[in-house]
Amino acid sequence: MSDTLQQINDAVITRKRAEIQGLVTRAIEEGIEPKLIIEDGLISAMDVIGKQFSDSDIFVPEMLVSALTMKLGLDSVKPLLKSEDSEPKGTIILGTVKGDIHDIGKNIVKMMLEGSGFEVVDLGVDLTVEKLVEQIDTIRPDILGLSALLTTTMPEMKNTIQELQEKGLREKIKIMVGGAPVSNSFAEEIGADGYGADAAEAVVLARKLIGV
Amino acid sequence: MLIVAERINSSRRSIERALEANDVNLIQAEATAQAAAGADYIDVNAGTFIGDELDRLKWAVEIVQEAVDLPICIDSPDAAVIEAVVPLVKRSPMINSITLEPLRLEGILPMVAEHGTKVIGLCQSEDTMAESAEEKLQLASQLVERVTKAGIPLDDLYIDPLVYPLATNPQSALATMDGIGRIMEEFPGVHTICGLTNISYGVPKRKLMNRTFLVTAISRGLDAVILDPTDNHLFGALKAVLALISKDEYCIDYIGAFREGRLE
């Protein structure tokens, strides 16, 4: 990897918000492919950050600032991408199920997914099944990510999946679930495609689900 | 938040003995520890040596500067002492302190102007010890006027609203907090500073009272403080309140202090 790419990588990991755009500009001037800047410089750094977070080596705000740093870098390089390179890895709809207004975890997952090159549509909290179905029909995402923090709202995940099945939309998308009371076995039981224990796992899972 | 580290003060018995015995190691260890703990200025005080203050202070300032690269806060009420010490300091110092008493004010202010130092101004005049917030604001406004007239930028003035013991003055903490809020609002660009130990005089668990007072004062706008930065309970409270009042975006300093084992 070139020195500058390595420095971009380090800047995201060490949260150098003030320096990232200068480094990206330098990489562009050195003639480094925008795609490489994104993949090797920015996104691979977020993989490291995801791992550090999963291992409890860093705290939530540190992960957020890394994600913000990464986004600043992305903003500098995006206009230069060739159209085929600027395609997102995939589109993901995220939301917290009906009756549940918890969104901290979902928002972290969103930042990490965006940081990893996915297009994320965040539908917010307290989402009715009708609204979800309507949005999935319109946006046709690759993945639906559902969040619930309460044992009392977890069943909404099951209801949502059933409704999608009835509308004939279930087979068109992958579904991943997460939230404090959710588990792998629950995900299987309700017919989701996967479960992520934290934001970093959500990224790995999303990549696996759509093969990128 | 500007931290003036208070430990090298001859009113502490160990420091007084070290100054008497020319104990270089002890004084330098105090300076180094406070620098490592996040001090911006090292306060040096030899005030208990009546008649001999100047020599002791000169000695202490010289050996502190050998040990650390921080500016000195010259802690003396005596214009002649300050005048003799200012030429010795390597970095632009803070002078602690002036009051509105004519002798101190007129003796010290010209030096502040000439050398471009920072200065602590106490809300105290010949006939008033400012106890109420109103009095504190009134004296602060006189300090601002005198300092500005002397051609000193407001940014170099640190107003100490004074802190009286809660044990004997039940309104003391509130008066200081209100005073800080009103001074900071009335004179944009000026700073406020205070010490913490007076507040808890005569009550148990003084350190608990001191750090809680620090938190409330900072929440009202205090932006400089005289304290012992090596006290991790105090330092932890300081870092926590700065994060709470959005002076530490994304808690980055707070987490950094945690990693250094500084939060208690």
Side-chain angles (χ1 to χ4, degrees):
Chain A
M1 206 191 297
S2 85
D3 274 1
T4 310
L5 275 187
Q6 187 63 55
Q7 283 175 34
I8 289 173
N9 204 271
D10 292 345
V12 172
I13 293 169
T14 56
R15 303 173 282 281
K16 301 278 187 321
R17 272 191 293 172
E19 290 167 27
I20 189 71
Q21 292 193 306
L23 286 169
V24 168
T25 306
R26 202 170 85 204
I28 293 165
E29 283 164 5
E30 286 171 10
I32 300 170
E33 282 273 316
K35 199 178 164 197
L36 276 183
I37 298 175
I38 293 177
E39 305 254 317
D40 294 353
L42 299 168
I43 290 180
S44 70
M46 287 311 287
D47 289 345
V48 175
I49 287 298
K51 170 95 173 48
Q52 288 181 348
F53 182 68
S54 292
D55 294 347
S56 302
D57 288 337
I58 58 171
F59 294 91
V60 169
E62 294 180 299
M63 187 169 69
L64 289 183
V65 177
S66 276
L68 291 175
T69 308
M70 194 276 317
K71 270 189 141 174
L72 281 175
L74 212 53
D75 289 346
S76 304
V77 75
K78 257 192 171 159
L80 299 172
L81 280 178
K82 285 179 259 158
S83 57
E84 68 267 26
D85 288 343
S86 67
E87 286 286 302
K89 286 187 171 167
T91 304
I92 302 178
I93 284 186
L94 284 185
T96 303
V97 296
K98 197 178 129 207
D100 203 327
I101 56 161
H102 295 91
D103 65 355
I104 297 170
K106 170 184 67 64
N107 294 345
I108 294 170
V109 169
K110 177 187 173 189
M111 292 200 88
M112 288 298 286
L113 287 170
E114 286 179 338
S116 306
F118 290 95
E119 171 86 27
V120 179
V121 181
D122 182 1
L123 296 182
V125 297
D126 195 18
L127 276 176
T128 61
V129 176
E130 295 73 33
K131 169 115 194 254
L132 262 173
V133 168
E134 177 201 311
Q135 290 292 316
I136 288 167
D137 207 16
T138 318
I139 297 170
R140 295 297 169 121
D142 300 290
I143 299 174
L144 168 65
L146 287 176
S147 168
L149 192 87
L150 306 170
T151 50
T152 50
T153 54
M154 277 165 69
E156 273 303 316
M157 291 180 163
K158 192 176 178 183
N159 296 343
T160 305
I161 293 174
Q162 272 173 355
E163 184 70 14
L164 287 170
Q165 219 134 26
E166 281 167 29
K167 293 278 190 300
L169 290 166
R170 174 67 187 91
E171 305 309 320
K172 298 187 164 55
I173 55 169
K174 300 289 184 188
I175 297 177
M176 56 186 214
V177 294
V182 181
S183 65
N184 231 329
S185 56
F186 176 77
E188 276 176 32
E189 189 189 311
I190 63 171
D193 297 301
Y195 158 76
D198 59 36
E201 274 194 24
V203 171
V204 174
L205 177 62
R207 286 181 183 152
K208 202 177 88 188
L209 287 178
I210 58 176
V212 290
Chain B
M1 176 61 54
L2 185 131
I3 296 178
V4 178
E6 71 183 6
R7 290 178 62 91
I8 303 178
N9 188 313
S10 67
S11 65
R12 293 177 64 216
R13 194 68 194 102
S14 65
I15 299 294
E16 185 174 42
R17 274 198 302 263
L19 292 180
E20 266 164 10
N22 288 355
D23 185 342
V24 174
N25 288 345
L26 188 139
I27 299 295
Q28 290 193 334
E30 288 281 14
T32 311
Q34 294 184 107
D40 296 302
Y41 285 80
I42 304 285
D43 190 279
V44 183
N45 173 304
T48 56
F49 294 95
I50 312 289
D52 199 16
E53 182 190 6
L54 177 58
D55 286 341
R56 306 284 178 179
L57 191 61
K58 277 162 96 172
W59 178 81
V61 165
E62 300 265 20
I63 67 153
V64 166
Q65 290 188 121
E66 277 173 24
V68 299
D69 185 33
L70 286 179
I72 302 290
C73 181
I74 306 170
D75 189 350
S76 171
D78 187 335
V81 168
I82 293 167
E83 188 168 18
V85 173
V86 165
L88 302 178
V89 298
K90 293 183 187 159
R91 298 180 57 179
S92 182
M94 177 180 271
I95 289 170
N96 182 12
S97 54
I98 58 168
T99 64
L100 286 160
E101 293 156 293
L103 208 61
R104 255 170 109 171
L105 193 69
E106 284 148 24
I108 297 172
L109 218 45
M111 284 188 276
V112 174
E114 187 192 335
H115 297 280
T117 75
K118 294 186 183 300
V119 65
I120 297 176
L122 310 184
C123 290
Q124 184 181 328
S125 70
E126 224 160 16
D127 47 17
T128 323
M129 300 281 275
E131 290 195 20
S132 70
E134 191 58 44
E135 286 169 318
K136 290 177 199 293
L137 181 67
Q138 220 276 320
L139 294 191
S141 118
Q142 290 179 38
L143 281 167
V144 166
E145 194 191 324
R146 296 300 297 262
V147 161
T148 319
K149 264 196 188 145
I152 298 158
L154 220 46
D155 183 43
D156 284 340
L157 175 60
Y158 289 73
I159 296 177
D160 185 337
L162 293 186
V163 180
Y164 296 106
L166 196 57
T168 54
N169 184 334
Q171 298 298 318
S172 155
L174 273 180
T176 299
M177 283 150 54
D178 288 345
I180 289 165
R182 293 178 66 179
I183 291 165
M184 294 302 264
E185 200 180 289
E186 193 85 11
F187 308 106
V190 83
H191 304 280
T192 41
I193 190 167
C194 67
L196 306 172
T197 49
N198 273 3
I199 195 72
S200 61
Y201 173 79
V203 299
K205 291 281 180 191
R206 293 187 62 177
K207 287 182 171 182
L208 170 63
M209 189 73 95
N210 296 347
R211 65 177 179 265
T212 307
F213 176 64
L214 172 68
V215 167
T216 57
I218 288 177
S219 74
R220 301 295 286 272
L222 187 79
D223 65 351
V225 62
I226 305 167
L227 51 64
D228 173 6
T230 67
D231 175 345
N232 283 350
H233 285 95
L234 185 56
F235 193 76
L238 174 67
K239 289 293 168 186
V241 68
L242 290 175
L244 288 170
I245 62 165
S246 300
K247 300 274 186 196
D248 173 17
E249 205 186 16
Y250 293 107
C251 309
I252 294 303
D253 283 349
Y254 180 82
I255 294 170
F258 167 76
R259 293 240 160 76
E260 290 166 10
R262 297 295 314 282
L263 302 186
E264 291 293 339

